[in-house]
Amino acid sequence: MTDPSLTLVTPVYRILGPLEVCNGLGREFKVPPGRQQIVLGALLCEANRVVSMDHLIDATWEDDPPPTARTQIQICVSSLRRDLARIGCDEAIITRVPGYLLQVASGQLDSQVFAQLTAEADALAGAGELNHAADTFRQALALWRGPTLGGIISQVLAAKGTHLDETRLITLESCLDLELRVGRHHRMVAEMGRLVAEHPLRERLRGLLMLALYRSGRQAEALEVYRVGRGLLIDELGLEPGEDLRGLEAAILADDPALRLESPPVSMTQMPPAVTDKLAPDRK
């Protein structure tokens, strides 16, 4: 079962969107833009692990650090410590050779809560509790407020953000897959249509939309979604759709009974590896 502390308390640190820090009692501090946001963001991305001074310098200045880089990072950390102490987060940042470590307890960092909830959803799905699993995925997805660490200019943090944002999309696809399997297709079509418009080259999303349309009695629209996707893949990448998407189109054309809800799920709904595997590097 979900730990209530993960879902009832707003995380203190929020990186799944613009960087925010709040102690859950209405006491918040606005992290000054620039170096302080980058340093805190880098520490949060490696929460409970030591982040070296060199890594913080690279995240802040990339290939052109000033001679005073180490001193400026130390000043940033001192300022962050004072601000965090004002909202009750005393001794959050500790010095640990060769740099610093930000201590985060369970439920305090939204990306960690996200990983814990998605791991639980995977376990529930494996146990056959599909409705509960889908609802738990939705809890996890509700933590996102926009692109990871949105607004912070740092190539190092941007790479970490891209990884987390991709994980969000994989999680969303797995959630939609489960919702299709439990018969929620009618209410999912509009959301899926928006997602395919935002991510037109993601074949799994397109396949899920096709299946939702087919199960909603909209076979012609499902085939049109395939046709448009095939055209985009050829025009932009010079590639034909993958085997799973082609097989789904053929099954829809043939009105294959395997596509019906009461039949075992078709391969289109099981394309990627488990979300837990994708998140594993962040669950240390």
Side-chain angles (χ1 to χ4, degrees):
M1 298 297 291
T2 302
D3 181 347
S5 67
L6 301 181
T7 56
L8 300 180
V9 178
T10 300
V12 173
Y13 304 104
R14 304 172 75 189
I15 66 172
L16 302 180
L19 177 61
E20 292 183 358
V21 182
C22 181
N23 69 352
L25 300 174
R27 298 174 63 190
E28 181 178 357
F29 98 84
K30 299 290 185 183
V31 186
R35 289 192 293 273
Q36 286 196 44
Q37 284 191 345
I38 293 172
V39 169
L40 183 56
L43 291 172
L44 286 169
C45 284
E46 301 295 333
N48 297 321
R49 293 192 287 264
V50 176
V51 180
S52 71
M53 176 67 78
D54 288 342
H55 180 80
L56 294 174
I57 290 172
D58 289 343
T60 306
W61 290 283
E62 297 170 14
D63 298 325
D64 190 27
T68 59
R70 296 181 71 86
T71 299
Q72 291 192 49
I73 294 296
Q74 290 167 348
I75 291 171
C76 282
V77 171
S78 295
S79 180
L80 287 168
R81 281 171 167 157
R82 287 194 301 271
D83 288 332
L84 289 171
R86 290 191 188 104
I87 65 168
C89 298
D90 301 296
E91 300 182 1
I93 302 174
I94 61 175
T95 301
R96 187 75 58 81
V97 177
Y100 301 97
L101 179 148
L102 178 59
Q103 301 180 103
V104 172
S106 177
Q108 286 190 326
L109 177 59
D110 59 357
S111 60
Q112 290 184 351
V113 176
F114 175 82
Q116 290 164 340
L117 286 171
T118 52
E120 180 181 342
D122 283 336
L124 288 166
E129 298 184 42
L130 303 189
N131 277 290
H132 191 179
D135 292 341
T136 304
F137 272 136
R138 286 291 178 183
Q139 282 183 291
L141 292 163
L143 292 165
W144 291 78
R145 298 164 292 112
T148 302
L149 293 171
I152 297 181
I153 300 174
S154 166
Q155 289 188 11
V156 171
L157 296 188
K160 180 66 176 180
T162 297
H163 169 74
L164 286 172
D165 291 339
E166 172 65 16
T167 298
R168 173 188 171 272
L169 279 174
I170 293 169
T171 300
L172 180 55
E173 289 170 340
S174 293
C175 179
L176 294 170
D177 175 8
L178 289 177
E179 290 177 332
L180 270 178
R181 291 164 66 185
V182 297
R184 303 180 188 178
H185 44 276
H186 289 289
R187 56 175 146 160
M188 297 166 59
V189 169
E191 178 186 10
M192 285 182 172
R194 289 192 300 270
L195 289 168
V196 168
E198 292 170 7
H199 308 281
L201 299 180
R202 291 188 77 90
E203 292 191 38
R204 190 187 187 202
L205 265 180
R206 189 169 294 275
L208 291 169
L209 174 59
M210 290 167 60
L211 190 55
L213 286 167
Y214 174 81
R215 288 183 177 170
S216 299
R218 299 161 66 176
Q219 182 181 24
E221 291 174 69
L223 293 170
E224 177 65 10
V225 167
Y226 175 84
R227 186 194 66 79
V228 171
R230 179 176 181 271
L232 285 170
L233 286 167
I234 292 172
D235 291 344
E236 298 195 22
L237 303 178
L239 298 172
E240 287 284 345
E243 180 181 350
D244 290 288
L245 205 60
R246 296 197 310 271
L248 181 59
E249 184 222 15
I252 290 173
L253 281 168
D255 198 18
D256 191 332
L259 298 181
R260 296 170 191 161
L261 188 59
E262 63 272 15
S263 299
V266 295
S267 61
M268 189 66 218
T269 66
Q270 300 174 358
M271 282 203 298
V275 174
T276 303
D277 294 338
K278 289 288 185 180
L279 282 168
D282 296 320
R283 293 181 181 162
K284 296 177 182 177

